[in-house]
Amino acid sequence: VDGLDFRAGALPDRVLELHGNLREVNCLSCGFRQQREDYASEFETRNAERITSFLDTYGPAPVDESLKEETKVRPDGDSDVNAHDLGRILAELEEPLCRKCGSGIVMPSLTFFGGTLREGVRNRAMEFVEDASRLLIVGSSCQVYSVFRLVRAAHAKNFPIGIINIGETRADLYANWKLSVQCGSLLDRAVSLISSKASTSYGETG
């Protein structure tokens, strides 16, 4: 959901964001999508005074450590507010509606816990498995069924299945091999090795 695949250079047609992404928001009525930054900017513009008032009350921790108890903003950016204040704050906020249909509620383009995948995404994921010849699981416990079903589909087709993950996964019984190592360091070594061999081969044939 964080888009790191694309930042690393992955081609869009080779990546399927199974559970959505954090970059976009979509309308629940008409499906229109827009960049989350654009929506956040509009939200901040409409609620500038309310946000200022909120920060005055629940703002960043004071410099004086002796006053630390007065702040209610946690390190992760969330704020602790009592139920009465939360209801009042939410009631006063002006939430921008969909800029296309003008009436739809907008939410992040994510599949939250307990939610279901969009049909198109679910079908495309299965197509990826159908077109593959093997399955490599990297840094995932495969606990959610939307992912585990892909492992079962690969197993039903007798695909070789490999896992790189520290700790138990739901797919362990289906794996042909498993490496309990940090995936980041291992993949860095793999890329270096492949690049080295590619350079050597190019030098021999060039």
Side-chain angles (χ1 to χ4, degrees):
V1 299
D2 50 23
L4 292 179
D5 308 83
F6 302 117
R7 291 175 60 185
L11 298 176
D13 63 341
R14 303 302 300 168
V15 175
L16 179 66
E17 295 177 305
L18 194 64
H19 294 117
N21 65 74
L22 295 168
R23 303 182 307 278
E24 300 173 319
V25 295
N26 65 278
C27 174
L28 297 182
S29 297
C30 71
F32 176 71
R33 292 191 177 195
Q34 67 181 101
Q35 291 298 305
R36 185 169 181 169
E37 288 184 359
D38 294 341
Y39 181 82
S41 178
E42 183 179 356
F43 181 90
E44 291 174 2
T45 299
R46 293 192 180 197
N47 295 280
E49 293 185 3
R50 300 178 185 90
I51 292 173
T52 299
S53 176
F54 176 84
L55 291 177
D56 286 343
T57 305
Y58 303 101
V63 176
D64 188 344
E65 288 297 317
S66 66
L67 301 177
K68 195 171 184 179
E69 291 298 320
E70 293 185 11
T71 184
K72 299 178 183 178
V73 174
R74 300 202 297 266
D76 61 2
D78 287 344
S79 297
D80 289 320
V81 296
N82 62 49
H84 173 74
D85 284 347
L86 180 60
R88 176 183 57 79
I89 291 169
L90 293 178
E92 292 178 353
L93 287 175
E94 183 180 350
E95 180 182 0
L97 298 176
C98 175
R99 62 172 57 175
K100 183 177 182 180
C101 70
S103 59
I105 295 176
V106 174
M107 70 172 290
S109 296
L110 292 170
T111 299
F112 293 94
F113 287 107
T116 57
L117 299 182
R118 296 191 300 274
E119 184 177 1
V121 172
R122 185 172 61 248
N123 293 340
R124 183 62 177 142
M126 191 57 70
E127 290 175 3
F128 270 35
V129 174
E130 294 291 334
D131 293 340
S133 59
R134 64 205 66 202
L135 179 66
L136 177 61
I137 302 166
V138 181
S140 174
S141 64
C142 299
Q143 290 299 318
V144 294
Y145 188 73
S146 56
V147 173
F148 183 59
R149 64 188 288 271
L150 303 177
V151 178
R152 295 183 61 181
H155 179 71
K157 295 176 70 67
N158 294 315
F159 287 178
I161 298 175
I163 301 175
I164 304 174
N165 189 73
I166 295 178
E168 182 179 355
T169 82
R170 195 175 181 182
D172 285 355
L173 293 178
Y174 296 91
N176 296 89
W177 57 267
K178 178 180 179 181
L179 297 177
S180 294
V181 298
Q182 290 186 338
C183 57
S185 57
L186 179 63
L187 293 180
D188 282 342
R189 292 175 58 188
V191 169
S192 297
L193 181 61
I194 293 172
S195 299
S196 177
K197 288 191 173 183
S199 298
T200 302
S201 298
Y202 179 78
E204 293 175 350
T205 60

